[in-house]
Amino acid sequence: DLILSYASINHIDEPACINLDKSELAYSTYKKYFIKIYGLMRPGGHFILSDADRINLWNKIGMNSPFSPTIEWKKHQEPTLWIQLLNEAGFSLVSLDWLRFYPLRKLGFIGCNRLIAWATISQFIITVVKD
């Protein structure tokens, strides 16, 4: 089994996602979604979640990113919060990766780390497995 959420997890319930880090109700709402996803999968199945990080250079300086100008940063969360929720739902972390900013692809693995993501597109990929 494979379930993929690409740039969509925050749209399942935007008000809850905005408040996920400060509201128990919002947190429990997303935890229920992840428990449901966990229940749909077979052991050994992978869930891949990719989204934009809430914390980055552009929102820190109060500007729209020239690389992702339509992103509303407040509607996103840190990957560590998603990982915590996924763990609580029963998943085990396989990896946390940062999406490579395409113009820097020739840098290889150097072009796909949190610092480069923080200054460019701020996208991460979390892979978890159902044990």
Side-chain angles (χ1 to χ4, degrees):
D1 288 340
L2 173 67
I3 296 179
L4 174 65
S5 172
Y6 183 78
S8 61
I9 198 68
N10 60 307
H11 298 294
I12 290 174
D13 188 332
E14 285 184 0
C17 190
I18 290 167
N19 295 301
L20 194 58
D21 58 340
K22 54 189 169 278
S23 162
E24 286 184 35
L25 178 60
Y27 192 91
S28 68
T29 297
Y30 264 91
K31 186 173 176 179
K32 288 176 190 171
Y33 294 139
F34 289 156
I35 289 169
K36 174 71 172 173
I37 290 168
Y38 185 88
L40 294 171
M41 300 178 74
R42 294 181 187 156
H46 287 79
F47 178 32
I48 300 173
L49 183 155
S50 179
D51 201 26
D53 191 353
R54 176 179 269 189
I55 309 258
N56 57 70
L57 171 67
W58 305 102
N59 73 346
K60 286 290 185 192
I61 62 174
M63 294 181 60
N64 287 336
S65 166
F67 310 109
S68 302
T70 61
I71 297 256
E72 297 172 280
W73 302 111
K74 69 179 185 178
K75 294 182 179 178
H76 298 272
Q77 289 294 336
E78 288 287 293
T80 52
L81 183 58
W82 292 122
I83 291 168
Q84 178 181 326
L85 270 163
L86 290 160
N87 285 336
E88 289 180 20
F91 289 101
S92 296
L93 180 66
V94 173
S95 64
L96 166 60
D97 299 296
W98 296 92
L99 198 61
R100 179 172 299 150
F101 181 53
Y102 187 73
L104 300 179
R105 69 192 176 283
K106 293 183 181 185
L107 294 177
F109 73 92
I110 295 171
C112 53
N113 63 58
R114 186 165 194 169
L115 180 61
I116 298 294
W118 182 79
T120 58
I121 57 176
S122 298
Q123 288 184 308
F124 59 84
I125 303 165
I126 298 169
T127 303
V128 292
V129 65
K130 178 178 180 175
D131 293 325

